[in-house]
Amino acid sequence: MPLLEARDWFIFKTKDGHYFVQKAKGDRCLSVGVIIPAAGQGKRMGMGERKQFLQFHGQPVIIHTLALFEGLPEVDEIVVVTQEEEIARTQKMIEEACIHKVTCVVSGGKERQESVYLGLKKIRTDWVMVHDAVRPFVSREAISRLLKVARMHGAAILAVPVKDTVKMVDDAGVVEQTPDRKRLWAVQTPQAFRRDILLSAHEQFLKWDAMATDDSMLVEEMGIDVRVVEGEYTNIKLTTPDDLFMAEAIYQMRSKKK
Ligand SMILES: Nc1ccn([C@@H]2O[C@H](COP(=O)(O)OP(=O)(O)OP(=O)(O)O)[C@@H](O)[C@H]2O)c(=O)n1
Ligand SMILES: C[C@](O)(CO)[C@H](O)COP(=O)(O)O
């Protein structure tokens, strides 16, 4: 919760004593950037080509994702983070696809978190969305909902209610606990933050030498409330080969709607 709410302003105090002043009513003149982490190996997909570069209906997966953000008026800048050896090829794909909002393609790190941090140090916008290159199906409507909430509160993420029952299981494969499903959400990207909040969170985790599987966790650990915005079940992350069948079904469903 903000430390102080004065009419149009929030003042946040984080666990390690940082203060952030957040203008409420989502100051629309603030610039919005997107960091696209695309430096993964795609081990679980298990294909020769890294999954972010797999051809899908005539374009690499990453280009489908970038084209979406290129077409969003709210987005001022895109920074792509990829493997060092993929930078030249990625830049060429971006040029050929006429993606003009990409200001730079930078080399990523061993972990997703490091890649995002390297992108964060390059981007200069007031607001930052972090979106996985391998989530090509997020909708413009969901992104607009996310930005509206983030502008009001400083941090927001897309997520969908969990459909299956989820259990905590110990190392011996024995069920330890069944959390209340009504309170469980499957988290997606984009995740949207004030850039200063996200940068401070990443730098704090670097000091702690700690890891997180999403950017929201870093901000949560700073004691800042992160709002959940309902996403869509079609906003899948291409992770394992079966996801490609789902991707084809989503693509066909959307083509029929056009
Ligand atoms: N060191 C890393 C690891 C992941 N990513 C990116 O983060 C997104 C989500 O990561 P994930 O789905 O786990 O991709 P991979 O790490 O490639 O998958 P795997 O764990 O199967 O290797 C992807 O766009 C991936 O390219 C990244 O930029 N840098
Ligand atoms: C950030 C994320 O997409 C939210 O669900 C997910 O945590 C990424 O996990 P990955 O193992 O790096 O794909």
Side-chain angles (χ1 to χ4, degrees):
M1 285 306 286
L3 197 66
L4 171 73
E5 286 187 57
R7 211 161 61 82
D8 279 348
W9 296 82
F10 299 122
I11 297 179
F12 292 94
K13 182 170 184 279
T14 65
K15 280 180 185 169
D16 57 346
H18 279 84
Y19 287 89
F20 289 98
V21 179
Q22 166 66 34
K23 188 176 185 315
K25 302 240 179 321
D27 187 337
R28 287 198 166 278
C29 72
L30 294 178
S31 56
V32 175
V34 190
I35 296 170
I36 301 288
Q41 297 289 345
K43 296 188 207 75
R44 288 169 287 178
M45 188 58 81
M47 295 197 171
E49 176 69 282
R50 290 183 174 120
K51 59 186 182 178
Q52 56 271 36
F53 300 115
L54 284 175
Q55 282 293 322
F56 182 74
H57 287 276
Q59 291 277 26
V61 166
I62 187 171
I63 296 299
H64 285 275
T65 303
L66 290 175
L68 173 81
F69 288 96
E70 175 77 10
L72 285 181
E74 300 98 319
V75 171
D76 302 292
E77 177 182 5
I78 303 170
V79 168
V80 176
V81 188
T82 193
Q83 295 272 337
E84 181 69 35
E85 67 271 20
E86 300 284 11
I87 289 179
R89 179 164 75 127
T90 305
Q91 285 169 332
K92 188 166 182 297
M93 289 173 188
I94 289 166
E95 280 152 32
E96 286 168 355
C98 301
I99 309 278
H100 303 300
K101 290 184 181 177
V102 173
T103 51
C104 61
V105 180
V106 294
S107 180
K110 267 172 52 25
E111 300 297 333
R112 179 185 183 280
Q113 181 177 326
E114 191 184 347
S115 296
V116 172
Y117 179 60
L118 291 164
L120 197 49
K121 290 204 289 185
K122 284 287 181 186
I123 208 160
R124 284 287 167 270
T125 51
D126 303 291
W127 290 95
V128 170
M129 289 192 278
V130 182
H131 184 66
D132 298 327
V134 292
R135 287 184 186 269
F137 299 116
V138 63
S139 71
R140 289 171 169 70
E141 295 76 17
I143 295 169
S144 297
R145 286 201 300 275
L146 176 78
L147 280 174
K148 187 162 172 255
V149 173
R151 283 189 173 114
M152 287 300 290
H153 300 284
I157 59 174
L158 287 183
V160 288
V162 165
K163 292 180 187 175
D164 302 314
T165 295
V166 176
K167 294 189 184 287
M168 299 285 285
V169 180
D170 69 16
D171 295 342
V174 177
V175 174
E176 276 182 329
Q177 184 197 358
T178 303
D180 173 5
R181 187 168 71 187
K182 289 193 292 298
R183 303 194 56 199
L184 293 179
W185 291 69
V187 171
Q188 305 175 338
T189 66
Q191 304 190 350
F193 311 91
R194 275 294 301 262
R195 180 180 177 277
D196 51 354
I197 292 179
L198 186 60
L199 185 60
S200 180
H202 267 271
E203 287 173 347
Q204 184 57 63
F205 263 63
L206 270 179
K207 281 184 209 148
W208 291 335
D209 192 21
M211 291 302 291
T213 53
D214 78 337
D215 297 280
S216 172
M217 183 176 163
L218 308 176
V219 174
E220 295 155 32
E221 278 305 302
M222 289 179 62
I224 291 181
D225 290 349
V226 176
R227 257 49 180 209
V228 173
V229 175
E230 187 150 2
E232 295 129 343
Y233 290 106
T234 49
N235 179 19
I236 63 170
K237 180 166 67 74
L238 305 183
T239 309
T240 50
D242 54 291
D243 294 322
L244 298 176
F245 294 104
M246 178 69 86
E248 185 58 30
I250 293 165
Y251 183 89
Q252 294 303 334
M253 178 178 69
R254 291 203 174 158
S255 305
K256 287 198 179 79
K257 279 186 183 167
K258 280 178 184 163

